[in-house]
Amino acid sequence: MKSKNVLFVVLLLFAINSFAQTKIEAKDGIHYLTNTIGYPITGTYLFENAEPIVVLNANGTGFYQLHEQQKKAVIWGIECNALGEPKFKKGFDYAAYSLWYQYSNSEVDTDKKWNTVEFSIHFNTLKMYIQGERIKDYTETLEK
């Protein structure tokens, strides 16, 4: 069973790296994920300049830490459509996305469900938020 889980994670990571999007099945149906949205979303997100943190790597891996818990390895993506175009809600000075993550250490985390949290970009302050509390500063680039 462990080898099947490891194979699944390897294949999923390959798919994330090889295509603009990957397809997942969550409790509420099929979703597509991407790791690029035109903004520098990878990096470390801090809670009040300390832990708990979230780390998003460009290859779709990272770490997600809940309050008063250890960091856990994850695979992640931002929800998009089947063509790889990010889905978002645009506000006056922000955009809100859905960040999906799944714990990837099968020896520790037996629950393989996909979790979703809000990911937002606030253009006036040049800040990105995960769950409204993990923060990362960014700078405008030509990536858009």
Side-chain angles (χ1 to χ4, degrees), residues 1-8 106 110 112:
M1 186 66 176
K2 285 184 187 178
S3 62
K4 285 184 181 179
N5 288 339
V6 170
L7 179 61
F8 172 75
S106 60
T110 56
K112 292 309 226 174

mmCIF file of all heavy atoms in Angstrom, residues 1-8 106 110 112:
data_model
loop_
_atom_site.group_PDB
_atom_site.id
_atom_site.type_symbol
_atom_site.label_atom_id
_atom_site.label_comp_id
_atom_site.label_asym_id
_atom_site.label_seq_id
_atom_site.Cartn_x
_atom_site.Cartn_y
_atom_site.Cartn_z
ATOM 1 N N MET A 1 0.829 -1.204 0.000
ATOM 2 C CA MET A 1 0.000 0.000 0.000
ATOM 3 C C MET A 1 0.865 1.257 0.000
ATOM 4 O O MET A 1 0.544 2.228 -0.666
ATOM 5 C CB MET A 1 -0.920 -0.046 1.227
ATOM 6 C CG MET A 1 -1.913 1.069 1.270
ATOM 7 S SD MET A 1 -3.063 0.885 -0.087
ATOM 8 C CE MET A 1 -4.172 2.179 0.226
ATOM 9 N N LYS A 2 1.982 1.233 0.756
ATOM 10 C CA LYS A 2 2.865 2.398 0.799
ATOM 11 C C LYS A 2 3.425 2.699 -0.580
ATOM 12 O O LYS A 2 3.517 3.852 -0.971
ATOM 13 C CB LYS A 2 4.016 2.163 1.772
ATOM 14 C CG LYS A 2 3.631 2.252 3.214
ATOM 15 C CD LYS A 2 4.855 2.098 4.076
ATOM 16 C CE LYS A 2 4.479 2.021 5.527
ATOM 17 N NZ LYS A 2 5.642 1.835 6.379
ATOM 18 N N SER A 3 3.794 1.648 -1.318
ATOM 19 C CA SER A 3 4.371 1.869 -2.642
ATOM 20 C C SER A 3 3.342 2.480 -3.592
ATOM 21 O O SER A 3 3.690 3.288 -4.448
ATOM 22 C CB SER A 3 4.941 0.576 -3.215
ATOM 23 O OG SER A 3 3.920 -0.381 -3.376
ATOM 24 N N LYS A 4 2.072 2.121 -3.447
ATOM 25 C CA LYS A 4 1.031 2.722 -4.283
ATOM 26 C C LYS A 4 0.878 4.199 -3.962
ATOM 27 O O LYS A 4 0.708 5.022 -4.865
ATOM 28 C CB LYS A 4 -0.307 2.009 -4.087
ATOM 29 C CG LYS A 4 -0.374 0.662 -4.755
ATOM 30 C CD LYS A 4 -1.754 0.067 -4.603
ATOM 31 C CE LYS A 4 -1.819 -1.295 -5.255
ATOM 32 N NZ LYS A 4 -3.140 -1.912 -5.103
ATOM 33 N N ASN A 5 0.933 4.555 -2.667
ATOM 34 C CA ASN A 5 0.825 5.965 -2.275
ATOM 35 C C ASN A 5 2.012 6.765 -2.786
ATOM 36 O O ASN A 5 1.852 7.885 -3.266
ATOM 37 C CB ASN A 5 0.716 6.103 -0.760
ATOM 38 C CG ASN A 5 -0.630 5.659 -0.233
ATOM 39 O OD1 ASN A 5 -1.603 5.618 -0.970
ATOM 40 N ND2 ASN A 5 -0.675 5.302 1.035
ATOM 41 N N VAL A 6 3.199 6.208 -2.678
ATOM 42 C CA VAL A 6 4.407 6.893 -3.142
ATOM 43 C C VAL A 6 4.329 7.070 -4.659
ATOM 44 O O VAL A 6 4.628 8.141 -5.189
ATOM 45 C CB VAL A 6 5.674 6.118 -2.737
ATOM 46 C CG1 VAL A 6 6.903 6.686 -3.412
ATOM 47 C CG2 VAL A 6 5.836 6.137 -1.221
ATOM 48 N N LEU A 7 3.895 6.024 -5.356
ATOM 49 C CA LEU A 7 3.756 6.110 -6.806
ATOM 50 C C LEU A 7 2.745 7.188 -7.188
ATOM 51 O O LEU A 7 2.977 7.967 -8.108
ATOM 52 C CB LEU A 7 3.330 4.758 -7.385
ATOM 53 C CG LEU A 7 3.131 4.713 -8.892
ATOM 54 C CD1 LEU A 7 4.435 5.049 -9.610
ATOM 55 C CD2 LEU A 7 2.637 3.344 -9.305
ATOM 56 N N PHE A 8 1.633 7.260 -6.465
ATOM 57 C CA PHE A 8 0.615 8.278 -6.729
ATOM 58 C C PHE A 8 1.201 9.680 -6.582
ATOM 59 O O PHE A 8 0.995 10.544 -7.436
ATOM 60 C CB PHE A 8 -0.589 8.103 -5.791
ATOM 61 C CG PHE A 8 -1.578 9.218 -5.882
ATOM 62 C CD1 PHE A 8 -2.429 9.329 -6.967
ATOM 63 C CD2 PHE A 8 -1.646 10.195 -4.894
ATOM 64 C CE1 PHE A 8 -3.335 10.375 -7.068
ATOM 65 C CE2 PHE A 8 -2.539 11.237 -4.983
ATOM 66 C CZ PHE A 8 -3.386 11.325 -6.075
ATOM 67 N N SER A 106 2.762 9.785 3.352
ATOM 68 C CA SER A 106 1.791 8.707 3.563
ATOM 69 C C SER A 106 2.054 7.915 4.834
ATOM 70 O O SER A 106 1.161 7.276 5.361
ATOM 71 C CB SER A 106 1.773 7.769 2.357
ATOM 72 O OG SER A 106 3.048 7.197 2.173
ATOM 73 N N THR A 110 -2.457 9.495 6.951
ATOM 74 C CA THR A 110 -3.212 8.482 6.226
ATOM 75 C C THR A 110 -4.437 9.067 5.540
ATOM 76 O O THR A 110 -4.983 8.449 4.642
ATOM 77 C CB THR A 110 -3.644 7.348 7.174
ATOM 78 O OG1 THR A 110 -4.389 7.905 8.255
ATOM 79 C CG2 THR A 110 -2.434 6.611 7.720
ATOM 80 N N LYS A 112 -5.914 11.173 2.900
ATOM 81 C CA LYS A 112 -5.433 11.747 1.644
ATOM 82 C C LYS A 112 -6.422 12.723 1.011
ATOM 83 O O LYS A 112 -6.433 12.901 -0.183
ATOM 84 C CB LYS A 112 -5.111 10.620 0.654
ATOM 85 C CG LYS A 112 -3.926 9.802 1.073
ATOM 86 C CD LYS A 112 -2.788 10.702 1.384
ATOM 87 C CE LYS A 112 -1.497 10.280 0.798
ATOM 88 N NZ LYS A 112 -0.455 11.252 1.021
#
